[in-house]
Amino acid sequence: DELQEIIRVAMAALPHVESGAPSGNVPKSAWPQVLRADSEDCSQEWITVGYPNLAKRSTGRYVYEVEFYEDIETPQVGLLSELFEKCLGVKSPTGVGDDVHGWSLDPEHAELWSSGQSRSWEGCR
């Protein structure tokens, strides 16, 4: 299951809980969450997954790495503001980069997205 593998990889990069918890356990508040989708099955529909609880940091930087599998179709990776609205239980054609509260990168088409508008990487230099 592709989503489970994405979650496994994402959780492996999170810091481990220290206060006596078994090694490898991460607090549930730090797990990735489905933000927009009718289900968690990314092979059947567009889904938006993120880490909304990490957005509460007031200083520092985030660095993340994404690995795309060969058969993944039209992936977009990006950042969301705290104003991005969760929409669960409803099929949604919109996700990161499709409204004013998100910015995304579409590596398949070499495009950057925000507010539902795309522009080529060349136009962003």
Side-chain angles (χ1 to χ4, degrees):
D1 181 41
E2 186 178 5
L3 180 60
Q4 293 303 318
E5 179 64 10
I6 291 169
I7 291 172
R8 185 195 67 73
V9 170
M11 290 189 57
L14 292 173
H16 297 302
V17 174
E18 294 184 22
S19 59
S23 177
N25 286 343
V26 175
K28 194 161 187 155
S29 63
W31 290 9
Q33 298 175 26
V34 175
L35 303 175
R36 281 195 184 163
D38 186 31
S39 73
E40 294 184 359
D41 186 355
C42 60
S43 68
Q44 299 299 313
E45 67 173 301
W46 292 103
I47 65 169
T48 301
V49 177
Y51 297 86
N53 294 328
L54 295 180
K56 305 302 179 200
R57 289 179 51 181
S58 60
T59 62
R61 295 181 181 169
Y62 291 105
V63 176
Y64 60 94
E65 180 177 324
V66 178
E67 180 179 346
F68 293 108
Y69 294 95
E70 191 172 310
D71 58 346
I72 194 167
E73 293 183 31
T74 319
Q76 286 181 279
V77 177
L79 301 171
L80 299 168
S81 80
E82 291 181 356
L83 299 176
F84 183 82
E85 293 182 37
K86 285 177 117 175
C87 186
L88 302 175
V90 177
K91 284 194 176 198
S92 176
T94 62
V96 65
D98 292 326
D99 64 25
V100 297
H101 304 296
W103 304 264
S104 71
L105 163 69
D106 176 346
E108 183 177 343
H109 300 104
E111 295 175 328
L112 299 175
W113 284 84
S114 183
S115 301
Q117 302 290 316
S118 70
R119 61 182 185 206
S120 73
W121 289 351
E122 298 302 319
C124 299
R125 291 184 181 172

